[in-house]
Amino acid sequence: MTEVATAGGGAYEIFIGRERLAERVGALGEELGERFANAPEPPILIAVLKGSTMFLADLIRAMPADVAVDFMAISSYSSNEATQVRIVKDLEHDITGRDVVIVEDIVDTGLTLTYLKRSLVERGPRSLCTVTLLDKSARRIVPVEVEHIGFDIPDVFVVGYGMDFQGRYRNTPDLYAVKDLARLANDPLLLVPGLFASAH
Ligand code: 5GP
C-alpha cells in the first residue's frame, strides 16, 4: 500500500495510490448503482464540503444510474470539552420521500456523521444511507452505521484526493499519510515542494 516519498524529509508517504483509489471508488459506484436499481426516483447524493468533492466526482461517474447531487457544509468546534457541529450551508433539494446518500471523505470519531444523519432523518427521506471513502473505525467515539466503506484505515492523518491540511493539499491524485503531523503544524508548507513540482 505504501511507497516512501523522499521530498518533505520523510514527513509523508503515499498511502493509497490513484489506481487503487480508482478501482475501489469504481466498485463503490457499482454497489450504489445496484442499491438503487429499482428506486422510484433518482437518489440524491449529498456531499459534505469540501473534503468529499473529489470522491463524489469519481463516484457518480462510476454509478450506472440517474442521480441528483447536492452539497452541505458543516462546521465543528469544541467548547467545554464537547464538540458542537452546525450546518453552515444547507441543501437546495427537499429530500422528503427521496432516497438519500451521504457522501463522506472520512468517518473518524463519528460525531459529524451522527449529527448529519439526525438532521437529515428529521426531513423525512424515503431512505438514508452513507458511503465513505475512508473509515477510521478504531477512532470511533459515537457508534454510527456506515453502509458503504471504501477503505478501513488505521489512525493516520491523510491529505490529498480532496482532503486537506489547513486548506492545502486537496488537489493531489494520490492520497498521502502525514507521518509527522507536529512538523507539518509547525510548517504548513512542508509538503508543497514534494507534492507540487512547480512549488513557489
Ligand atoms: P468526525 O466527526 O468523524 O470525527 O470527523 C470527520 C471529519 O474530520 C472528516 O470529514 C474530515 O474533515 C476530518 N478528518 C478526520 N480525519 C482526517 C484526516 O486524516 N485527514 C483530514 N484531512 N481530515 C480528517
Side-chain angles (χ1 to χ4, degrees), residues 104-113 136 156-159 163-165:
E104 267 284 20
D105 52 355
I106 306 180
V107 182
D108 184 17
T109 62
L111 286 164
T112 309
L113 183 59
K136 290 189 187 175
V156 286
F157 190 83
V158 296
V159 295
M163 285 156 262
D164 73 316
F165 179 76

Side-chain angles (χ1 to χ4, degrees), residues 116-144:
L116 273 174
K117 279 184 150 181
R118 198 177 304 140
S119 144
L120 295 177
V121 161
E122 279 171 6
R123 306 177 195 197
R126 177 174 180 267
S127 70
L128 179 65
C129 73
T130 304
V131 57
T132 187
L133 178 68
L134 306 172
D135 185 3
K136 290 189 187 175
S137 56
R139 279 186 37 95
R140 201 75 88 246
I141 293 174
V142 193
V144 61

Side-chain angles (χ1 to χ4, degrees), residues 9-64:
Y12 67 95
E13 63 190 5
I14 290 187
F15 187 57
I16 306 175
R18 62 194 79 182
E19 294 84 7
R20 218 157 147 246
L21 286 168
E23 192 186 319
R24 190 70 195 108
V25 174
L28 286 172
E30 295 283 334
E31 249 176 71
L32 286 174
E34 278 167 29
R35 185 179 186 110
F36 297 108
N38 300 310
E41 281 187 273
I44 304 177
L45 276 75
I46 298 176
V48 186
L49 294 171
K50 301 169 184 150
S52 61
T53 49
M54 233 179 258
F55 174 41
L56 174 83
D58 287 341
L59 184 70
I60 56 177
R61 281 179 291 178
M63 281 181 71

Side-chain angles (χ1 to χ4, degrees), residues 66-79:
D66 188 15
V67 301
V69 166
D70 209 335
F71 297 93
M72 259 179 129
I74 50 117
S75 86
S76 56
Y77 56 96
S78 298
S79 63

